[in-house]
Amino acid sequence: SFGNPHLSGRRPVAILVLGPSASGKTYSTQMHVEDVLRANGLDEGLCFHSIDGGLMRDEGVSRVWTELGRVRDAVRERKKVVDHSQHCAGQDEDPFFGFADAYSKVGQPASRPLKSKLLKDAMIEMRNLVLVDTAASCSTANVLKAIVKTFSCKAWAQYEALAQSGYNVIMTAVNADRGNCDHQGARRSKAEGKVYEGKHWKASMEAVRDMFNAAREGGNRNTFF
């Protein structure tokens, strides 16, 4: 949660945070949520429930990586003792980069239904929400706009569901160049266990434009960031 635990009597607020993978969406939201609220005439002390896969990985998969790091260090020390490092040339520095299906077979199957349940429960209780999404499938450059918005774009479906439920929806986005995302993604692969793939960077950046414009077309006049 961000901010003060006291809820206001206004419409519930939802902040939808867009941007490419490894662009710093979680961190940026924590740093700037008060600015977003202030610009939209809202109480800067509002409390938010954050539904964010990055936070889930921080608490879950990264623990496994911590244990692997300890194993790696123990292996290094053992090699020093028995003096057989030459048999493992090229593997001493980073023997544990992660396994490619850690996210797809372990993290994602658990986090997806959990995020759906958390969102459903929070909307029933009209809680203030922060939702973080790359929205890579929402770029209209890929397929026809109507098809994307209706069938493929989870982020847009969430936007419409929140708006129809009476939420005051604000969109924000992190503008990050491909190089920075690649750098942060490589670091995250080791820290959190989610192997980074930058192939959706362009689609995610295009989705920011397309979703902002679609919201404006629908009458949303909030200050977006």
Side-chain angles (χ1 to χ4, degrees):
S1 295
F2 304 118
N4 188 302
H6 298 293
L7 299 174
S8 75
R10 300 183 181 183
R11 292 166 57 197
V13 178
I15 301 177
L16 185 55
V17 185
L18 307 174
S21 181
S23 60
K25 295 183 292 296
T26 300
Y27 176 78
S28 295
T29 302
Q30 292 173 329
M31 293 296 100
H32 300 293
V33 63
E34 292 183 0
D35 297 330
V36 174
L37 294 172
R38 188 185 308 115
N40 284 282
L42 297 170
D43 181 1
E44 297 172 27
L46 287 180
C47 175
F48 286 85
H49 290 263
S50 181
I51 301 178
D52 182 346
L55 294 176
M56 293 179 182
R57 291 193 302 274
D58 283 346
E59 295 299 321
V61 179
S62 61
R63 295 180 184 177
V64 176
W65 253 243
T66 299
E67 293 301 318
L68 285 175
R70 292 172 180 167
V71 172
R72 177 192 61 202
D73 293 341
V75 169
R76 285 175 177 169
E77 290 301 314
R78 177 64 178 165
K79 287 177 181 178
K80 290 179 181 178
V81 172
V82 300
D83 192 29
H84 70 286
S85 297
Q86 67 273 14
H87 298 301
C88 302
Q91 299 181 29
D92 292 341
E93 292 303 316
D94 290 293
F96 301 112
F97 275 99
F99 41 102
D101 58 359
Y103 177 68
S104 62
K105 292 188 176 180
V106 180
Q108 194 175 57
S111 64
R112 272 187 172 175
L114 176 59
K115 286 192 283 187
S116 296
K117 175 173 172 47
L118 290 173
L119 177 59
K120 180 179 178 181
D121 291 347
M123 288 179 65
I124 290 173
E125 297 180 1
M126 302 298 281
R127 300 282 186 174
N128 296 324
L129 289 166
V130 170
L131 303 174
V132 178
D133 204 308
T134 62
S137 64
C138 301
S139 168
T140 57
N142 296 331
V143 290
L144 293 175
K145 185 173 183 179
I147 296 177
V148 174
K149 289 172 58 177
T150 304
F151 300 108
S152 299
C153 183
K154 179 191 68 175
W156 182 256
Q158 289 178 341
Y159 172 88
E160 290 193 315
L162 289 162
Q164 291 168 8
S165 297
Y167 272 81
N168 182 12
V169 187
I170 302 168
M171 285 192 186
T172 67
V174 177
N175 181 17
D177 65 67
R178 178 69 179 270
N180 277 328
C181 289
D182 288 347
H183 176 70
Q184 295 296 335
R187 293 178 57 188
R188 188 181 70 182
S189 294
K190 299 179 186 180
E192 300 179 14
K194 182 181 179 182
V195 174
Y196 172 75
E197 292 182 345
K199 61 184 179 182
H200 298 302
W201 175 86
K202 183 178 179 181
S204 293
M205 294 302 299
E206 291 172 343
V208 172
R209 173 201 63 206
D210 295 336
M211 289 191 61
F212 274 32
N213 288 339
R216 293 296 189 220
E217 291 171 9
N220 191 324
R221 294 296 179 262
N222 282 328
T223 299
F224 294 173
F225 278 75

